[in-house]
Amino acid sequence: MTVRLDARVDEDVVLAARMLRDGKLVAVPTETVYGLGADASNDGAVARIFTVKGRPRAHPLILHVSDIDAARRVASHWTNLADILAHSFWPGALSILVDKAPNASDVVTGSRPTVVVRVPGHPATRRIIELMHADGSVGLAAPSANKFGAVSPTTADHVLFDLKELIDAVLDGGPCAVGVESTIVDCTGVEAVVLRDGGVPYEDIANELALHGLHIRRSSDMVGTTDSARAIAPGMLMSHYAPRARVEVFESSETLHARRRDLDDARITYAELAHPVNLFEYSRGLYASMRECDSRGVEVILAVLPEPTGLGIAIRDRLSKAAAQR
Ligand code: TXA
Ligand code: MG
């Protein structure tokens, strides 16, 4: 049975932490998307995440911690770069890749020599992680709480739609504020390398690093990699984040409207993705809008791509991946 807990109720938050320490799987809210949490110090519990999601074992999980000190404990080498970005953007939608310490389990890291750490912003989830640390855990291992390859959940209802009866509980913390996954940055070297665009815009990271005379670039391996063993961050496959309907993307509403006429003529059913002018609203509602279009049972979802700036970069990335051939 999947229990629904309320993030505003302290007993529920404490119960969620206890369930996690008991080896249970609990979906938790973060400012990006809901995570499917397991105690990162319990290999058996973490292994269940892969079974429940239908996710390949080699796709490593983000290790969520309560603060920079806790992040340092799972890193063998906490670089200056990691420290600068952690201080500037945590708690937040930024995940940092560093070399791992032995207490970051191979089940979490997919047997890689690195670990990705993040301090999430949702207060209830941070409290859960603090309670877990106080009880001896290294943190909360959590991928997005959806079936493998599907759209990430941004409400507790989305989580239940995908994973009801497969997980032990979901902590309802309301709709996610950001709505797209975290930005992942490799901080093992002297230069920051973005592995996945996300909730913290590239420009913001670049501006912060420039203050310290440091640089950022995008991983050349990022787009189009279907070979997950080779990928720097496996799981960023082209056909990720896809709803059931076929997705078609357009640079302008004019081109989208032209396509609508074709679809009308061909009697193909479609829905238009909500595309607010404001990028914050766009990213916040992106996945919910895809799910809603799917629930209407249409064959095609039409979407206008936002400008490639700020959060628009992550939105474009997710939409393009959803539109990629499956
Ligand atoms: O916002 C987010 O990042 C959400 C919330 C729940 O924190 N999590 C999330 O997790 O999106 P997931 O598992 O769906 O995506 C995490 C990505 C995966 O593509 C994985 O390959 C990469 O992070 N990753 C994790 N650890 C890694 C490592 N040690 N080396 C390379 N890539 C890693
Ligand atoms: Mg995911």
Side-chain angles (χ1 to χ4, degrees), residues 56 59 70-72 78-79 81 93 102 131 172 202 207 210 216 232 247 253 258 271 276-278 290 292 319 322:
H59 285 194
R72 295 182 80 118
W78 186 251
T79 58
L81 203 51
L131 289 168
D172 187 350
Y202 186 91
N207 290 340
I216 182 170
I232 295 177
V247 176
S253 15
V277 250
N278 176 327
M290 281 193 199
E292 197 198 298
L319 282 172

Side-chain angles (χ1 to χ4, degrees), residues 243-248 259 263 268 299-302 322 326:
R244 202 174 33 70
R246 182 172 89 233
V247 176
E248 296 184 9
R259 178 63 180 150
L263 292 172
I268 294 172
E299 293 159 86
V300 179
I301 296 173
L302 305 174
R326 271 172 264 169

Side-chain angles (χ1 to χ4, degrees), residues 278-325:
N278 176 327
L279 289 175
F280 294 100
E281 297 297 323
Y282 200 157
S283 77
R284 187 175 302 150
L286 180 68
Y287 292 145
S289 179
M290 281 193 199
R291 281 173 183 266
E292 197 198 298
C293 289
D294 255 356
S295 74
R296 285 154 62 183
V298 295
E299 293 159 86
V300 179
I301 296 173
L302 305 174
V304 177
L305 293 168
E307 290 291 302
T309 167
L311 279 172
I313 297 172
I315 298 168
R316 287 177 73 95
D317 170 75
R318 303 305 188 269
L319 282 172
S320 307
K321 282 175 177 158
Q325 279 287 300

Side-chain angles (χ1 to χ4, degrees), residues 29-181:
T30 85
E31 70 276 59
T32 57
V33 300
Y34 275 71
L36 175 54
D39 180 358
S41 292
N42 181 336
D43 281 353
V46 176
R48 238 184 96 205
I49 288 180
F50 294 91
T51 310
V52 161
K53 278 193 61 122
R55 171 169 169 139
R57 295 278 169 146
H59 285 194
L61 307 176
I62 296 176
L63 181 41
H64 299 75
V65 292
S66 65
D67 53 30
I68 295 177
D69 285 342
R72 295 182 80 118
R73 285 197 284 274
V74 293
S76 63
H77 185 45
W78 186 251
T79 58
N80 180 41
L81 203 51
D83 209 49
I84 290 167
L85 294 184
H87 275 102
S88 310
F89 297 106
W90 281 356
L94 182 82
S95 294
I96 293 177
L97 182 141
V98 283
D99 289 325
K100 81 174 197 80
N103 62 354
S105 164
D106 280 342
V107 185
V108 175
T109 66
S111 297
R112 289 177 174 246
T114 53
V115 63
V116 171
V117 281
R118 173 161 100 89
V119 176
H122 197 291
T125 296
R126 274 188 84 195
R127 172 133 154 80
I128 287 174
I129 298 168
E130 279 164 10
L131 289 168
M132 292 173 72
H133 286 327
D135 193 33
S137 168
V138 293
L140 183 79
S144 51
N146 53 280
K147 281 279 190 184
F148 180 65
V151 176
S152 291
T154 53
T155 66
D157 284 339
H158 294 164
V159 174
L160 290 172
F161 185 85
D162 285 9
L163 302 176
K164 196 168 166 41
E165 304 314 329
L166 295 175
I167 61 174
D168 300 297
V170 57
L171 181 70
D172 187 350
C176 299
V178 177
V180 292
E181 299 82 354

Side-chain angles (χ1 to χ4, degrees), residues 8-21:
R8 294 164 302 184
V9 177
D10 193 55
E11 295 90 87
D12 281 14
V13 174
V14 173
L15 176 61
R18 190 173 326 125
M19 289 177 80
L20 285 159
R21 281 301 273 161

